[in-house]
Amino acid sequence: WAPWTVNAQRASWNGLKKGTLVRGDVVFVPSNEFGAHHFDVDLTGKVVLVRRGGPGFRTFALKAHHAEKANAIALLVVDTHTKLSPHRFGTGGGLWTNLRVAWSTRSLSVPRLPTLLLPKVSGEHILASVEQRKDREPPVQVRFEVKEDSFPVRSLPQMMCHNVAAILTGISILYGVIQCFGIEVGLEFDAGYELSLRDRIPCKCIDVDMNRLFKRLFACMVPRPENLWNALSTWLALPRAIVKGLFPPKSDVDVFGATLLHLLSLRIRTWIALSVATMAASLICGSILNSAAAASERGIEQTGAVSSEDRDDVTTFISAIVQAYALPQVYTAILVSRDEAMARNIVRQMEDLDSRKAVAIVGAMHSNGILAHIRNLLSEGNIP
């Protein structure tokens, strides 16, 4: 048989096995065609082929875990679509889905098995070839090398920590309520990616990954001297920032004006979703903060430092102090530090591609920060 090449999409966890050369016989187990449960055969040294989907709870990670426990060296999944998705698979599902995978597999880690998603036509052709060559020589073989991939992989414990942090900061509550109204977010990034494919323009991600973002957030929340000073200086700089936002210099983007025009263009449903999401995030985060402040006050009260008559005043004071410290730190971690990281990533990607022009798709609140950091890099001579 003559060898032939198949285009495939990679799993988000494939980078964990970078440099691995996979070569082995392809097997298909009809009794477990979707890889939905544990394989009852030994797949040592084999590349197992399964179909996408299946009845009940089925995810890519679950299929990969099952194949990995059967000692397979790789997993091939036949897609239900003829056109492959431009994005890596195995990244979605959220916390609840990953908890179900962990419970089913008794594992808190991500799969480490090289996994590829095949287009429907190519996958069905391989499947038919495997069935045709069953118990015959030579068997159908596959060969591929796992390339280096810097895509961030999060284990379940990391994901749980990140979700708790997202709830405490109100981020997940805000986006969760918006999605309940059927409002799609981030479509501008998908549109930019599709245009880059159409016009054959390199498209790169410049944002920080979730691991780095939450690592930075945790570091900013620790009450170290530099963080305390940052919180104070941020509040002191607030009036100047407001004036600059209302009357931006010519070199900056008019974020306030652009945001106002954008808000005026929104549909009624989107307005309602934003209003409900904002109130829900504020209410839930405020309740969590007040509960923590009340618990702290009880501890102080037991020491005799305050009396029960002053309970409400002390709780309010503790809550105000925590908010005064936390708000600037969340702003620094989620906005300011990301601006610097994205600016450096833009410069690095342009240098790697030897390009003099670039189009960056970012949120309006990030635009001026990114521009300021790029100007600083230019003034320091860090950009050729």
mmCIF file of all heavy atoms in Angstrom, residues 164-166 168-169 213-228 230-231 289 321-334:
data_model
loop_
_atom_site.group_PDB
_atom_site.id
_atom_site.type_symbol
_atom_site.label_atom_id
_atom_site.label_comp_id
_atom_site.label_asym_id
_atom_site.label_seq_id
_atom_site.Cartn_x
_atom_site.Cartn_y
_atom_site.Cartn_z
ATOM 1 N N VAL A 164 -12.419 29.455 41.363
ATOM 2 C CA VAL A 164 -12.687 30.151 42.623
ATOM 3 C C VAL A 164 -12.252 31.611 42.526
ATOM 4 O O VAL A 164 -12.977 32.526 42.938
ATOM 5 C CB VAL A 164 -11.963 29.442 43.789
ATOM 6 C CG1 VAL A 164 -12.047 30.295 45.057
ATOM 7 C CG2 VAL A 164 -12.582 28.078 44.047
ATOM 8 N N ALA A 165 -11.063 31.833 41.946
ATOM 9 C CA ALA A 165 -10.571 33.204 41.784
ATOM 10 C C ALA A 165 -11.476 34.003 40.855
ATOM 11 O O ALA A 165 -11.747 35.188 41.091
ATOM 12 C CB ALA A 165 -9.144 33.184 41.248
ATOM 13 N N ALA A 166 -11.962 33.356 39.778
ATOM 14 C CA ALA A 166 -12.845 34.047 38.842
ATOM 15 C C ALA A 166 -14.172 34.412 39.489
ATOM 16 O O ALA A 166 -14.750 35.465 39.200
ATOM 17 C CB ALA A 166 -13.080 33.176 37.608
ATOM 18 N N LEU A 168 -14.592 34.968 42.830
ATOM 19 C CA LEU A 168 -14.326 35.998 43.822
ATOM 20 C C LEU A 168 -14.124 37.376 43.188
ATOM 21 O O LEU A 168 -14.446 38.398 43.792
ATOM 22 C CB LEU A 168 -13.091 35.627 44.656
ATOM 23 C CG LEU A 168 -13.241 34.394 45.562
ATOM 24 C CD1 LEU A 168 -11.940 34.096 46.268
ATOM 25 C CD2 LEU A 168 -14.366 34.600 46.569
ATOM 26 N N THR A 169 -13.567 37.407 41.980
ATOM 27 C CA THR A 169 -13.372 38.683 41.288
ATOM 28 C C THR A 169 -14.594 39.091 40.470
ATOM 29 O O THR A 169 -14.627 40.205 39.932
ATOM 30 C CB THR A 169 -12.149 38.612 40.360
ATOM 31 O OG1 THR A 169 -12.313 37.510 39.442
ATOM 32 C CG2 THR A 169 -10.870 38.413 41.155
ATOM 33 N N LEU A 213 -2.135 34.319 33.893
ATOM 34 C CA LEU A 213 -3.035 35.374 34.359
ATOM 35 C C LEU A 213 -3.380 35.188 35.832
ATOM 36 O O LEU A 213 -3.274 36.124 36.637
ATOM 37 C CB LEU A 213 -4.304 35.387 33.511
ATOM 38 C CG LEU A 213 -5.407 36.351 33.969
ATOM 39 C CD1 LEU A 213 -4.914 37.786 33.911
ATOM 40 C CD2 LEU A 213 -6.658 36.182 33.110
ATOM 41 N N PHE A 214 -3.790 33.981 36.210
ATOM 42 C CA PHE A 214 -4.182 33.753 37.596
ATOM 43 C C PHE A 214 -2.978 33.697 38.532
ATOM 44 O O PHE A 214 -3.092 34.040 39.709
ATOM 45 C CB PHE A 214 -5.021 32.483 37.699
ATOM 46 C CG PHE A 214 -6.436 32.667 37.234
ATOM 47 C CD1 PHE A 214 -6.837 32.204 35.993
ATOM 48 C CD2 PHE A 214 -7.346 33.340 38.022
ATOM 49 C CE1 PHE A 214 -8.138 32.393 35.556
ATOM 50 C CE2 PHE A 214 -8.652 33.533 37.596
ATOM 51 C CZ PHE A 214 -9.052 33.060 36.361
ATOM 52 N N LYS A 215 -1.836 33.280 38.016
ATOM 53 C CA LYS A 215 -0.619 33.339 38.823
ATOM 54 C C LYS A 215 -0.293 34.781 39.167
ATOM 55 O O LYS A 215 0.082 35.103 40.298
ATOM 56 C CB LYS A 215 0.543 32.696 38.068
ATOM 57 C CG LYS A 215 1.836 32.633 38.861
ATOM 58 C CD LYS A 215 2.928 31.939 38.076
ATOM 59 C CE LYS A 215 4.229 31.887 38.882
ATOM 60 N NZ LYS A 215 5.313 31.211 38.103
ATOM 61 N N ARG A 216 -0.455 35.657 38.187
ATOM 62 C CA ARG A 216 -0.228 37.087 38.425
ATOM 63 C C ARG A 216 -1.283 37.645 39.382
ATOM 64 O O ARG A 216 -0.960 38.459 40.253
ATOM 65 C CB ARG A 216 -0.287 37.831 37.083
ATOM 66 C CG ARG A 216 -0.166 39.344 37.174
ATOM 67 C CD ARG A 216 1.132 39.778 37.798
ATOM 68 N NE ARG A 216 1.251 41.226 37.835
ATOM 69 C CZ ARG A 216 2.149 41.888 38.559
ATOM 70 N NH1 ARG A 216 3.003 41.198 39.319
ATOM 71 N NH2 ARG A 216 2.206 43.193 38.549
ATOM 72 N N LEU A 217 -2.526 37.207 39.240
ATOM 73 C CA LEU A 217 -3.591 37.678 40.126
ATOM 74 C C LEU A 217 -3.318 37.271 41.571
ATOM 75 O O LEU A 217 -3.456 38.094 42.491
ATOM 76 C CB LEU A 217 -4.936 37.110 39.662
ATOM 77 C CG LEU A 217 -6.170 37.483 40.494
ATOM 78 C CD1 LEU A 217 -6.363 38.987 40.520
ATOM 79 C CD2 LEU A 217 -7.409 36.779 39.963
ATOM 80 N N PHE A 218 -2.915 36.015 41.792
ATOM 81 C CA PHE A 218 -2.603 35.564 43.145
ATOM 82 C C PHE A 218 -1.436 36.349 43.728
ATOM 83 O O PHE A 218 -1.426 36.707 44.908
ATOM 84 C CB PHE A 218 -2.281 34.070 43.142
ATOM 85 C CG PHE A 218 -3.449 33.200 42.776
ATOM 86 C CD1 PHE A 218 -3.258 32.002 42.089
ATOM 87 C CD2 PHE A 218 -4.745 33.575 43.089
ATOM 88 C CE1 PHE A 218 -4.338 31.207 41.739
ATOM 89 C CE2 PHE A 218 -5.825 32.792 42.747
ATOM 90 C CZ PHE A 218 -5.621 31.593 42.071
ATOM 91 N N ALA A 219 -0.418 36.619 42.886
ATOM 92 C CA ALA A 219 0.748 37.374 43.366
ATOM 93 C C ALA A 219 0.376 38.799 43.752
ATOM 94 O O ALA A 219 0.901 39.351 44.725
ATOM 95 C CB ALA A 219 1.838 37.382 42.290
ATOM 96 N N CYS A 220 -0.562 39.393 43.006
ATOM 97 C CA CYS A 220 -0.970 40.771 43.303
ATOM 98 C C CYS A 220 -1.816 40.866 44.568
ATOM 99 O O CYS A 220 -1.850 41.924 45.211
ATOM 100 C CB CYS A 220 -1.760 41.345 42.121
ATOM 101 S SG CYS A 220 -0.750 41.785 40.695
ATOM 102 N N MET A 221 -2.509 39.798 44.933
ATOM 103 C CA MET A 221 -3.391 39.863 46.091
ATOM 104 C C MET A 221 -2.658 39.663 47.412
ATOM 105 O O MET A 221 -3.210 39.963 48.476
ATOM 106 C CB MET A 221 -4.486 38.798 45.959
ATOM 107 C CG MET A 221 -5.412 39.018 44.772
ATOM 108 S SD MET A 221 -6.148 40.666 44.705
ATOM 109 C CE MET A 221 -7.134 40.645 46.195
ATOM 110 N N VAL A 222 -1.430 39.165 47.381
ATOM 111 C CA VAL A 222 -0.657 38.996 48.618
ATOM 112 C C VAL A 222 -0.279 40.382 49.154
ATOM 113 O O VAL A 222 0.307 41.186 48.423
ATOM 114 C CB VAL A 222 0.613 38.159 48.364
ATOM 115 C CG1 VAL A 222 1.431 38.028 49.648
ATOM 116 C CG2 VAL A 222 0.235 36.787 47.838
ATOM 117 N N PRO A 223 -0.603 40.699 50.407
ATOM 118 C CA PRO A 223 -0.359 42.062 50.935
ATOM 119 C C PRO A 223 1.118 42.332 51.236
ATOM 120 O O PRO A 223 1.513 42.568 52.379
ATOM 121 C CB PRO A 223 -1.215 42.092 52.203
ATOM 122 C CG PRO A 223 -1.291 40.676 52.652
ATOM 123 C CD PRO A 223 -1.312 39.851 51.393
ATOM 124 N N ARG A 224 1.951 42.288 50.216
ATOM 125 C CA ARG A 224 3.354 42.649 50.365
ATOM 126 C C ARG A 224 3.500 44.164 50.307
ATOM 127 O O ARG A 224 2.600 44.871 49.826
ATOM 128 C CB ARG A 224 4.185 41.980 49.267
ATOM 129 C CG ARG A 224 4.221 40.463 49.348
ATOM 130 C CD ARG A 224 5.324 39.928 48.450
ATOM 131 N NE ARG A 224 5.019 40.197 47.053
ATOM 132 C CZ ARG A 224 4.518 39.290 46.217
ATOM 133 N NH1 ARG A 224 4.275 38.061 46.665
ATOM 134 N NH2 ARG A 224 4.267 39.590 44.956
ATOM 135 N N PRO A 225 4.622 44.702 50.755
ATOM 136 C CA PRO A 225 4.798 46.171 50.742
ATOM 137 C C PRO A 225 4.604 46.784 49.362
ATOM 138 O O PRO A 225 3.958 47.827 49.218
ATOM 139 C CB PRO A 225 6.237 46.344 51.255
ATOM 140 C CG PRO A 225 6.480 45.163 52.119
ATOM 141 C CD PRO A 225 5.737 44.035 51.475
ATOM 142 N N GLU A 226 5.171 46.139 48.307
ATOM 143 C CA GLU A 226 5.030 46.706 46.963
ATOM 144 C C GLU A 226 3.586 46.683 46.494
ATOM 145 O O GLU A 226 3.137 47.594 45.775
ATOM 146 C CB GLU A 226 5.924 45.969 45.964
ATOM 147 C CG GLU A 226 5.648 44.471 45.826
ATOM 148 C CD GLU A 226 6.474 43.622 46.766
ATOM 149 O OE1 GLU A 226 6.873 44.137 47.825
ATOM 150 O OE2 GLU A 226 6.724 42.447 46.438
ATOM 151 N N ASN A 227 2.813 45.682 46.926
ATOM 152 C CA ASN A 227 1.408 45.628 46.542
ATOM 153 C C ASN A 227 0.591 46.671 47.293
ATOM 154 O O ASN A 227 -0.336 47.273 46.736
ATOM 155 C CB ASN A 227 0.838 44.239 46.804
ATOM 156 C CG ASN A 227 1.357 43.198 45.816
ATOM 157 O OD1 ASN A 227 1.833 43.542 44.745
ATOM 158 N ND2 ASN A 227 1.258 41.932 46.185
ATOM 159 N N LEU A 228 0.920 46.884 48.567
ATOM 160 C CA LEU A 228 0.232 47.923 49.330
ATOM 161 C C LEU A 228 0.496 49.298 48.727
ATOM 162 O O LEU A 228 -0.412 50.137 48.625
ATOM 163 C CB LEU A 228 0.698 47.883 50.792
ATOM 164 C CG LEU A 228 0.303 46.627 51.588
ATOM 165 C CD1 LEU A 228 1.006 46.608 52.933
ATOM 166 C CD2 LEU A 228 -1.207 46.559 51.776
ATOM 167 N N ASN A 230 1.296 49.877 45.616
ATOM 168 C CA ASN A 230 0.617 49.927 44.314
ATOM 169 C C ASN A 230 -0.858 50.275 44.491
ATOM 170 O O ASN A 230 -1.409 51.069 43.714
ATOM 171 C CB ASN A 230 0.753 48.584 43.601
ATOM 172 C CG ASN A 230 0.019 48.561 42.271
ATOM 173 O OD1 ASN A 230 0.466 49.127 41.286
ATOM 174 N ND2 ASN A 230 -1.132 47.888 42.231
ATOM 175 N N ALA A 231 -1.505 49.693 45.496
ATOM 176 C CA ALA A 231 -2.921 49.999 45.739
ATOM 177 C C ALA A 231 -3.104 51.470 46.085
ATOM 178 O O ALA A 231 -4.017 52.142 45.571
ATOM 179 C CB ALA A 231 -3.461 49.122 46.862
ATOM 180 N N LEU A 289 -17.693 38.966 50.245
ATOM 181 C CA LEU A 289 -16.793 39.857 50.971
ATOM 182 C C LEU A 289 -17.343 40.190 52.352
ATOM 183 O O LEU A 289 -16.603 40.195 53.351
ATOM 184 C CB LEU A 289 -16.577 41.136 50.159
ATOM 185 C CG LEU A 289 -15.619 42.169 50.752
ATOM 186 C CD1 LEU A 289 -14.229 41.565 50.925
ATOM 187 C CD2 LEU A 289 -15.546 43.397 49.848
ATOM 188 N N ILE A 321 -11.832 48.327 53.770
ATOM 189 C CA ILE A 321 -10.371 48.220 53.652
ATOM 190 C C ILE A 321 -9.991 47.153 52.632
ATOM 191 O O ILE A 321 -9.104 47.358 51.785
ATOM 192 C CB ILE A 321 -9.738 47.894 55.021
ATOM 193 C CG1 ILE A 321 -9.865 49.091 55.960
ATOM 194 C CG2 ILE A 321 -8.282 47.497 54.860
ATOM 195 C CD1 ILE A 321 -9.095 50.316 55.512
ATOM 196 N N VAL A 322 -10.678 46.017 52.690
ATOM 197 C CA VAL A 322 -10.376 44.930 51.749
ATOM 198 C C VAL A 322 -10.684 45.364 50.317
ATOM 199 O O VAL A 322 -9.893 45.106 49.397
ATOM 200 C CB VAL A 322 -11.174 43.664 52.119
ATOM 201 C CG1 VAL A 322 -11.007 42.596 51.041
ATOM 202 C CG2 VAL A 322 -10.715 43.126 53.461
ATOM 203 N N GLN A 323 -11.815 46.051 50.117
ATOM 204 C CA GLN A 323 -12.153 46.521 48.778
ATOM 205 C C GLN A 323 -11.156 47.561 48.282
ATOM 206 O O GLN A 323 -10.766 47.549 47.110
ATOM 207 C CB GLN A 323 -13.563 47.104 48.774
ATOM 208 C CG GLN A 323 -14.664 46.083 48.946
ATOM 209 C CD GLN A 323 -16.042 46.708 48.825
ATOM 210 O OE1 GLN A 323 -16.404 47.259 47.790
ATOM 211 N NE2 GLN A 323 -16.811 46.640 49.901
ATOM 212 N N ALA A 324 -10.743 48.443 49.172
ATOM 213 C CA ALA A 324 -9.787 49.483 48.785
ATOM 214 C C ALA A 324 -8.459 48.878 48.346
ATOM 215 O O ALA A 324 -7.772 49.434 47.478
ATOM 216 C CB ALA A 324 -9.565 50.449 49.947
ATOM 217 N N TYR A 325 -8.111 47.742 48.930
ATOM 218 C CA TYR A 325 -6.866 47.072 48.541
ATOM 219 C C TYR A 325 -7.074 46.172 47.323
ATOM 220 O O TYR A 325 -6.240 46.146 46.402
ATOM 221 C CB TYR A 325 -6.332 46.237 49.705
ATOM 222 C CG TYR A 325 -5.151 45.366 49.323
ATOM 223 C CD1 TYR A 325 -3.891 45.913 49.128
ATOM 224 C CD2 TYR A 325 -5.310 43.990 49.136
ATOM 225 C CE1 TYR A 325 -2.814 45.126 48.760
ATOM 226 C CE2 TYR A 325 -4.240 43.193 48.771
ATOM 227 C CZ TYR A 325 -2.992 43.763 48.589
ATOM 228 O OH TYR A 325 -1.936 42.985 48.218
ATOM 229 N N ALA A 326 -8.182 45.428 47.288
ATOM 230 C CA ALA A 326 -8.369 44.414 46.254
ATOM 231 C C ALA A 326 -8.653 45.005 44.879
ATOM 232 O O ALA A 326 -8.137 44.506 43.871
ATOM 233 C CB ALA A 326 -9.506 43.469 46.661
ATOM 234 N N LEU A 327 -9.466 46.058 44.813
ATOM 235 C CA LEU A 327 -9.850 46.600 43.509
ATOM 236 C C LEU A 327 -8.649 47.053 42.683
ATOM 237 O O LEU A 327 -8.530 46.695 41.499
ATOM 238 C CB LEU A 327 -10.856 47.748 43.700
ATOM 239 C CG LEU A 327 -12.252 47.332 44.163
ATOM 240 C CD1 LEU A 327 -13.135 48.551 44.400
ATOM 241 C CD2 LEU A 327 -12.905 46.404 43.140
ATOM 242 N N PRO A 328 -7.715 47.848 43.229
ATOM 243 C CA PRO A 328 -6.540 48.226 42.425
ATOM 244 C C PRO A 328 -5.673 47.034 42.042
ATOM 245 O O PRO A 328 -5.085 47.014 40.959
ATOM 246 C CB PRO A 328 -5.775 49.190 43.340
ATOM 247 C CG PRO A 328 -6.761 49.659 44.339
ATOM 248 C CD PRO A 328 -7.693 48.519 44.542
ATOM 249 N N GLN A 329 -5.619 46.025 42.915
ATOM 250 C CA GLN A 329 -4.782 44.865 42.618
ATOM 251 C C GLN A 329 -5.382 44.007 41.506
ATOM 252 O O GLN A 329 -4.657 43.492 40.652
ATOM 253 C CB GLN A 329 -4.569 44.028 43.881
ATOM 254 C CG GLN A 329 -3.802 44.752 44.978
ATOM 255 C CD GLN A 329 -2.510 45.349 44.464
ATOM 256 O OE1 GLN A 329 -2.410 46.552 44.236
ATOM 257 N NE2 GLN A 329 -1.512 44.499 44.254
ATOM 258 N N VAL A 330 -6.699 43.855 41.531
ATOM 259 C CA VAL A 330 -7.360 43.130 40.437
ATOM 260 C C VAL A 330 -7.175 43.894 39.128
ATOM 261 O O VAL A 330 -6.903 43.308 38.068
ATOM 262 C CB VAL A 330 -8.852 42.933 40.749
ATOM 263 C CG1 VAL A 330 -9.589 42.365 39.532
ATOM 264 C CG2 VAL A 330 -9.023 42.009 41.937
ATOM 265 N N TYR A 331 -7.295 45.215 39.192
ATOM 266 C CA TYR A 331 -7.077 46.060 38.007
ATOM 267 C C TYR A 331 -5.659 45.897 37.480
ATOM 268 O O TYR A 331 -5.426 45.774 36.267
ATOM 269 C CB TYR A 331 -7.354 47.518 38.377
ATOM 270 C CG TYR A 331 -6.895 48.520 37.361
ATOM 271 C CD1 TYR A 331 -7.657 48.786 36.233
ATOM 272 C CD2 TYR A 331 -5.700 49.218 37.528
ATOM 273 C CE1 TYR A 331 -7.242 49.719 35.294
ATOM 274 C CE2 TYR A 331 -5.276 50.148 36.596
ATOM 275 C CZ TYR A 331 -6.046 50.396 35.481
ATOM 276 O OH TYR A 331 -5.622 51.309 34.546
ATOM 277 N N THR A 332 -4.688 45.854 38.383
ATOM 278 C CA THR A 332 -3.294 45.698 37.973
ATOM 279 C C THR A 332 -3.048 44.350 37.322
ATOM 280 O O THR A 332 -2.384 44.249 36.285
ATOM 281 C CB THR A 332 -2.363 45.860 39.187
ATOM 282 O OG1 THR A 332 -2.533 47.174 39.738
ATOM 283 C CG2 THR A 332 -0.905 45.659 38.798
ATOM 284 N N ALA A 333 -3.592 43.298 37.916
ATOM 285 C CA ALA A 333 -3.335 41.949 37.411
ATOM 286 C C ALA A 333 -4.037 41.683 36.095
ATOM 287 O O ALA A 333 -3.464 41.086 35.174
ATOM 288 C CB ALA A 333 -3.768 40.925 38.453
ATOM 289 N N ILE A 334 -5.302 42.111 35.987
ATOM 290 C CA ILE A 334 -6.111 41.745 34.822
ATOM 291 C C ILE A 334 -5.947 42.732 33.671
ATOM 292 O O ILE A 334 -6.088 42.352 32.505
ATOM 293 C CB ILE A 334 -7.589 41.628 35.226
ATOM 294 C CG1 ILE A 334 -7.755 40.469 36.211
ATOM 295 C CG2 ILE A 334 -8.495 41.427 34.024
ATOM 296 C CD1 ILE A 334 -9.167 40.251 36.676
#
